[in-house]
Amino acid sequence: MDANRPTRLEDRADLDAFLEDHIVALVECYTSGCSKCQAMEPVLGNVARATGIPVGLVNPGDDLSLVDRFEIDSVPTLLCFENGQEVGRLAEGFVGAGAVVAFLEATVPSAVEIEAADT
């Protein structure tokens, strides 16, 4: 598993294991066929490389329990977790890497390791 690339998570069990493996993690909830969601994937790869924070991708449509668990109303929705608990949410559609990094810096400042100023 490459920490600099988003990890595809198949279902709730994958998501729970991913969150257990990482103190801080960013998870994108997406759906198949969502162009904004697809456009977020390379952005999230850049965010992972720039911050060192692992990124997971999960389609709550593949495991409907996730829709209720995280109250997903729209996609893409970015969820920030610390110690397995949701600590922040960004649900504004497509956002650039700079906005995602700023969200992470505000939500989990101690976890962000900025390595590149070109985000």
Side-chain angles (χ1 to χ4, degrees):
M1 187 175 346
D2 182 353
N4 290 326
R5 297 186 57 188
T7 302
R8 293 214 174 268
L9 308 168
E10 296 299 319
D11 54 23
R12 179 185 202 127
D14 272 5
L15 175 60
D16 289 343
F18 182 76
L19 296 177
E20 195 172 296
D21 286 345
H22 304 289
I23 295 170
V24 173
L26 181 66
V27 174
E28 178 195 21
C29 296
Y30 73 94
T31 57
S32 301
C34 167
S35 59
K36 290 180 181 178
C37 300
Q38 291 171 347
M40 284 300 301
E41 189 170 345
V43 169
L44 295 174
N46 291 337
V47 169
R49 283 186 291 280
T51 64
I53 292 176
V55 176
L57 307 174
V58 67
N59 182 347
D62 291 341
D63 186 339
L64 294 178
S65 69
L66 295 173
V67 174
D68 292 333
R69 178 177 170 186
F70 297 113
E71 299 174 358
I72 302 299
D73 295 326
S74 63
V75 291
T77 294
L78 301 177
L79 304 172
C80 183
F81 293 88
E82 188 169 23
N83 297 315
Q85 300 297 310
E86 181 183 336
V87 294
R89 173 182 296 238
L90 189 62
E92 299 174 4
F94 177 85
V95 290
V100 178
V101 169
F103 161 71
L104 291 171
E105 288 175 324
T107 307
V108 285
S110 62
V112 177
E113 303 167 7
I114 297 299
E115 296 172 7
D118 61 348
T119 56

